[in-house]
Amino acid sequence: MRYSQYLLPTLRETPGDAEIISHQLMLRAGMIRKVAAGIYDYLPLGLRAIRKMEAIIREEMNRAGAIEVLMPMVVPADLWDESGRWQQYGKELLRIKDRKETDFCLGPTHEEVITEMVRGTVRSYRQLPLNLYQIQSKFRDEIRPRFGLMRGREFIMKDAYSFDLDQAGVDLAYEKMYQAYRRIFARCGLNFRAVEADTGNIGGSSSHEFMVLAESGEDAIASCHACEYAANVEKAECRPQPQVCCDEAPPLEQVATPGRKAISEVSEFLGVPASATAKALVLITDSGAPVMALLRGDHELNPIKLKNVLGCSVLELATDEQIEKLTGAPVGYLGPVGMKIRVVADLAIQSGGPWITGANVSDAHFRNTVHGRDFAVERFADIRNVGAGDPCPRCADGIMEMWRGIEVGHVFKLGTKYSASMRATVLDDQGQERTLVMGCYGIGVGRTVAAAIEQNHDDKGVIWPMPLAPFQVLITLLNPKDEAVRAAGERLYAELQEKGIEVLLDDRDERAGSKFADADLLGMPLRVTIGSKALQEAAVELQERRSGARSLLPLAEAAGSIATQVRAALAAGAQEAVHG
RNA sequence: CGGGGCGUAGCGCAGCCUGGUAGCGCACCUGUCUUGGGCACAGGGGGUCGGAGGUUCGAAUCCUCUCGCCCCGACCA
C-alpha cells in the first residue's frame, strides 16, 4: 500500500477524551474514530489489525475442530422469551421494534440463536459433538462505555458454543477451547494468565477468564507465586487459618471512642492494628432482607462470595437510614454483639480474636469481643477478597500476588440452561431423548487488539507484535522526489510484496521528521529507510521498532533478508503457542 | 442510574466571570523554499459558538429547558 493513496489520518495531538494509552494511540494512529459513545469506525489500519486477530482466531478455532457460522445481529424477542432472558437481561439489551411493532433486540450474545439453530438441525447423538462459532459485531448498551475499543457498546466478538450429549463431552470440549485460547493469545505475543472465574449471571459451572496483564486492566486477579493457582479476585479463595482464639480472653469491656467511626480512626485511637478490629457492614438482599457481614478490619468484603453464600442475586449496601432503623445502632459503631439481624462472618473472624467491635451505641466500642461467647454468628464463610501476601489456598507454601488484567476471553460450561428451556434435545443410542449439554466461549476481538497495544508501546507510539501488525514492514522514502531513492523504494516494495510481505510505502512528500514521527507512532515491526546517502553505497537502512536496532542492508539482498526476518517473527509466535 | 465536568473550525484550546468585530496553535489549500527526526516565508479557505426558548437595542457570554459527550461508583468480551 502506498501511504500517499491510503486513508491514514494520524493525529499529532492526543484527543482530550482518551484516557488509556491504547485508546489514545488507536485514535492518533488513525485506526479508529468515534461515531457515538462506545461506537467506532474502524479505519483501514485498524481494520487490518482486527482482521489479523480474526485470522489467528479462525485458524486456532478450526484447528480445534470448531465450525464457523454467522448468526443474525437482529434477533426476535420470541427466542429471548423462551430462555427467559427477555425479562431478565435488563437495559443492556437494546430492544427495537420492526414496522409491524414486533419486538426484536440487537444480539449481545447468541446462546438463544445458536440453540434454536441446533435444535432445528441436530436430531441424533451421531451428529455430536458440535462446536459452532462466529465472528460478529455484538451490541450491549453498556451503562458506561469507555476506553475506546476496550469497552464499547458495539464490539466485535468471537463467540463459540459447544453441544454434547453428556458432562464428559462438554468437559472435553471445554478443555479443547481452553487450549485453543492459550494458543491464540500466545500467538499474539501477549503476556496473559488463564484464571478461574465466577460464573456470574450467565450461569453454569466451570469458568476461566483469559486475562492480559496490564496496569489499566479493569479486573483484579490473584495468582500463587509457587503453584498454578490463579483466579479473579471475585472468585479467588482464602485459605482458612488455624484457630488461635480465645480460651483465656478477658471479659468484654466497653471503651469510649468519641467520634471514632472509621476502622483507621478506631485502631489509631486505641493503639491497635486494624487487623485486631472487626468491621460490620449491613447489606440488603433482593428479597429486602438485611444481613450483617462481619470482617476483619483490614479485610475487604467480596460481595460476589457473599451473594453466593446467601443465594441471592442482588446485594446492596444499606443506606445510613436503613442501618439505624434495622439495627437500632448508629452508623460507625455497629457490632455483632446483641445484633438482631442475621450475621454472616468471614472465616478470619472465626479463627482469630478477641476483637475490637462497635458497641452499637454512639461513641463506644467493645474490647475482647469473642465469637460464641459474646455474640452469635449464623454462619462463617469465606466472604472476603484475597490480598497480596495471603497464603495460597491450593499449595503449602505459596503466597498470593495481585495483578491487574484485561479480560480478553472467557470459557464457560453452561450445562443445560438454554438447551432445557428451549428444548434442544437429541436421541441417544438407546433411542432416549437427551437434553444437550452446552459450553460457550468468547473472545473480544477489538479488546484483544487494544490489550496488545496496552502491552506493546512506548512514549512514541505502538510497537506491534508481528502477528497483529497491520503491515509487517514500513518503507520510508526520505526524499521521494529523488529519482534514485524512489526507484530503490519501488524495487524493494515490489520485491517484498512478491514474497508475500505486507508493506506500507511512505511515498508522501513530507519532511523526514514527520515521516519518522508517524513511523514511530504507527509502530510497524520493521522499518526500512531509504535515503540518498546510504544509496550511494547501494544500501538501505533497516530498523527494528521494538529495540531501535539499526543495520545497513545491501539493496540487492534487502527483500530476502527482511522476508526472512518477518517469517522468523511469525514462527516464533506460533512456537510460543505450542509450548506456552 | 446517582455524583462531578465539558460542548466555540478536522484536532487541541482561549474568549464567558464583567454582553458590543469569534480568536490562537496544529491540520488543510496556493506559491516560493526546504528535505536523516514534526522546516521557513507569503497568501488563503473553513465556525448558524450542541439545540430550543427567554432577558436585552444587542447574547458564544446572563436565565430556563433540552440533547450530546467525558470522568468517578454497581455489569461484561
Side-chain angles (χ1 to χ4, degrees):
Chain A
M1 179 53 64
R2 291 166 200 278
Y3 200 139
S4 64
Q5 287 157 44
Y6 207 41
L7 179 64
L8 183 36
T10 57
L11 264 30
R12 193 163 172 173
E13 288 167 290
T14 301
D17 53 12
E19 277 263 303
I20 62 171
I21 195 74
S22 61
H23 188 194
Q24 293 172 357
L25 288 176
M26 289 179 98
L27 289 167
R28 286 192 54 212
M31 297 176 65
I32 57 171
R33 267 177 71 85
K34 187 171 73 178
V35 176
I39 298 176
Y40 290 85
D41 286 324
Y42 299 96
L43 298 180
L45 197 74
L47 184 61
R48 287 186 74 105
I50 296 271
R51 293 287 187 243
K52 286 289 183 83
M53 185 69 219
E54 293 176 348
I56 292 171
I57 292 172
R58 280 197 174 90
E59 271 180 40
E60 296 299 336
M61 290 301 290
N62 293 344
R63 187 202 302 274
I67 308 166
E68 187 168 5
V69 296
L70 186 57
M71 291 177 261
M73 192 186 176
V74 174
V75 180
D78 289 0
L79 282 177
W80 282 68
D81 249 338
E82 273 195 64
S83 68
R85 282 160 113 194
W86 186 256
Q87 298 299 327
Q88 288 166 17
Y89 211 89
K91 290 193 207 154
E92 234 175 69
L93 185 64
L94 184 64
R95 295 156 211 257
I96 53 179
K97 284 180 193 296
D98 70 2
R99 67 205 297 162
K100 292 180 293 192
E101 294 287 303
T102 307
D103 286 314
F104 289 85
C105 64
L106 294 188
T109 174
H110 282 70
E111 284 82 4
E112 283 84 358
V113 184
I114 197 82
T115 304
E116 196 281 333
M117 180 196 297
V118 167
R119 76 178 171 190
T121 52
V122 176
R123 290 282 131 75
S124 159
Y125 74 98
R126 290 199 193 119
Q127 292 168 279
L128 301 178
L130 204 51
N131 186 336
L132 301 171
Y133 76 97
Q134 66 174 345
I135 296 175
Q136 185 212 34
S137 286
K138 301 269 187 263
F139 195 94
R140 294 183 190 168
D141 199 358
E142 294 273 349
I143 293 167
R144 195 147 94 77
R146 60 184 134 173
F147 302 152
L149 295 195
M150 204 69 92
R151 178 183 292 276
R153 293 147 92 201
E154 185 181 287
F155 58 100
I156 300 172
M157 179 173 167
K158 187 283 302 178
D159 49 325
Y161 307 87
S162 67
F163 296 86
D164 286 278
L165 199 61
D166 52 25
Q167 189 60 38
V170 75
D171 288 347
L172 183 60
Y174 185 89
E175 177 61 21
K176 277 188 187 170
M177 282 296 103
Y178 184 93
Q179 295 305 339
Y181 275 35
R182 293 200 70 92
R183 295 177 61 94
I184 289 167
F185 297 120
R187 277 184 63 180
C188 296
L190 293 166
N191 183 12
F192 70 97
R193 297 273 190 287
V195 307
E196 294 180 17
D198 186 73
T199 49
N201 292 343
I202 300 182
S205 47
S206 299
S207 173
H208 284 84
E209 290 165 337
F210 287 78
M211 295 282 191
V212 171
L213 302 183
E215 272 310 308
S216 58
E218 295 186 84
D219 286 277
I221 60 185
S223 68
C224 175
H225 87 291
C227 77
E228 288 295 297
Y229 183 68
N232 194 310
V233 293
E234 292 177 348
K235 159 100 177 178
E237 300 156 28
C238 299
R239 182 156 89 197
Q241 296 301 293
Q243 186 87 17
V244 295
C245 184
C246 297
D247 298 336
E248 303 283 323
L252 196 65
E253 175 195 356
Q254 183 167 331
V255 293
T257 50
R260 272 58 172 199
K261 296 186 174 185
I263 289 293
S264 58
E265 295 168 347
V266 174
S267 67
E268 189 186 343
F269 181 71
L270 295 178
V272 298
S275 58
T277 68
K279 65 181 169 193
L281 306 172
V282 178
L283 302 105
I284 311 287
T285 70
D286 38 11
S287 61
V291 59
M292 173 175 280
L294 194 64
L295 295 143
R296 211 170 83 179
D298 59 333
H299 286 162
E300 243 174 42
L301 175 69
N302 180 321
I304 291 175
K305 287 183 181 176
L306 183 55
K307 270 189 211 175
N308 290 339
V309 166
L310 297 172
C312 64
S313 60
V314 179
L315 195 61
E316 283 179 347
L317 275 173
T319 63
D320 289 2
E321 297 75 49
Q322 285 175 313
I323 290 173
E324 303 200 352
K325 193 164 153 213
L326 289 164
T327 66
V331 173
Y333 302 96
L334 293 177
V337 179
M339 183 48 52
K340 298 174 287 194
I341 64 175
R342 62 204 285 220
V343 177
V344 174
D346 185 64
L347 296 177
I349 296 294
Q350 183 173 34
S351 58
W355 305 102
I356 307 280
T357 63
N360 291 324
V361 296
S362 282
D363 301 326
H365 281 76
F366 286 127
R367 273 189 211 278
N368 305 323
T369 319
V370 175
H371 72 79
R373 184 188 74 181
D374 303 316
F375 67 93
V377 165
E378 178 186 291
R379 182 163 176 194
F380 287 104
D382 174 13
I383 58 169
R384 73 174 175 97
N385 285 337
V386 288
D390 281 353
C392 174
R394 294 292 156 79
C395 73
D397 2 80
I399 58 166
M400 301 304 286
E401 299 173 306
M402 308 295 290
W403 311 83
R404 301 297 299 178
I406 299 164
E407 184 190 353
V408 291
H410 202 159
V411 294
F412 259 105
K413 289 180 195 170
L414 276 178
T416 56
K417 178 173 165 136
Y418 298 93
S419 47
S421 60
M422 297 182 66
R423 293 202 189 79
T425 61
V426 294
L427 295 184
D428 66 14
D429 57 0
Q430 309 295 308
Q432 297 294 306
E433 189 164 78
R434 299 271 290 267
T435 301
L436 290 167
V437 184
M438 295 173 59
C440 77
Y441 317 92
I443 291 179
V445 177
R447 184 183 278 187
T448 305
V449 171
I453 294 174
E454 287 292 321
Q455 242 177 32
N456 296 283
H457 68 270
D458 62 16
D459 56 352
K460 293 186 178 135
V462 181
I463 304 173
W464 284 109
M466 189 63 80
L468 294 181
F471 293 94
Q472 294 154 343
V473 178
L474 172 67
I475 301 175
T476 302
L477 302 185
L478 282 183
N479 183 355
K481 286 180 179 161
D482 180 322
E483 263 318 309
V485 168
R486 177 163 278 279
E490 292 289 347
R491 174 183 163 186
L492 183 56
Y493 179 58
E495 286 176 353
L496 282 171
Q497 290 194 110
E498 190 76 11
K499 293 176 186 297
I501 304 301
E502 298 161 329
V503 192
L504 181 61
L505 176 68
D506 189 349
D507 56 346
R508 294 174 301 166
D509 185 17
E510 292 286 338
R511 297 188 65 82
S514 306
K515 295 193 196 182
F516 288 141
D518 277 337
D520 290 333
L521 175 61
L522 299 178
M524 304 318 161
L526 294 176
R527 170 155 122 212
V528 182
T529 303
I530 301 183
S532 40
K533 237 180 287 172
L535 260 193
Q536 286 168 4
E537 319 289 316
V540 298
E541 182 181 293
L542 178 66
Q543 183 171 0
E544 197 192 355
R545 174 65 177 91
R546 189 175 296 275
S547 66
R550 299 178 196 202
S551 54
L552 283 177
L553 292 177
L555 178 58
E557 297 163 22
S561 165
I562 290 165
T564 302
Q565 287 191 45
V566 169
R567 298 212 175 89
L570 290 173
Q575 194 70 10
E576 184 75 16
V578 173
H579 300 296

